[in-house]
Amino acid sequence: MAMISIRVSEAEKDWLTHMAEFYGTSLSDLVKKYSMEQLEDKYDTLMAEAAYKHYQESGQKTVSMQEVIDEFGGFKE
């Protein structure tokens, strides 16, 4: 397994240690979990924005649900 070192102030280390204890996990797991989640969330946001921009630039048109129902039929009751 690879190792990465990060430098933090003493106050930051104390706070991170407190948070690790609060969540009942190790300091290493805490930093890894939350940094990975934030990076994944940011990546998802950027990919969604890029896909939406591509959609807008493509000139495609959306249709309403009512138009779909009108064309293909509605729900049977």
Side-chain angles (χ1 to χ4, degrees), residues 45-62:
T45 299
L46 292 173
M47 291 297 100
E49 289 171 354
Y52 183 65
K53 182 179 178 183
H54 175 73
Y55 164 77
Q56 288 179 313
E57 292 172 352
S58 72
Q60 292 179 341
K61 178 181 171 273
T62 61

Side-chain angles (χ1 to χ4, degrees), residues 9-10 16 25 28 42 45-46 48 51 56 77:
S9 70
E10 196 61 40
L16 288 168
T25 190
S28 178
K42 184 64 175 177
T45 299
L46 292 173
Q56 288 179 313
E77 291 187 36

Side-chain angles (χ1 to χ4, degrees), residues 5 7-9 11 14 16 22 26-27 29 37-38 41 46 55 57 59 64 70-71 74 77:
S5 298
R7 296 183 192 280
V8 296
S9 70
D14 290 344
L16 288 168
F22 178 79
S26 69
L27 182 55
D29 285 342
E37 283 181 6
Q38 290 174 330
D41 289 348
L46 292 173
Y55 164 77
E57 292 172 352
S64 69
D70 291 345
E71 183 171 344
E77 291 187 36

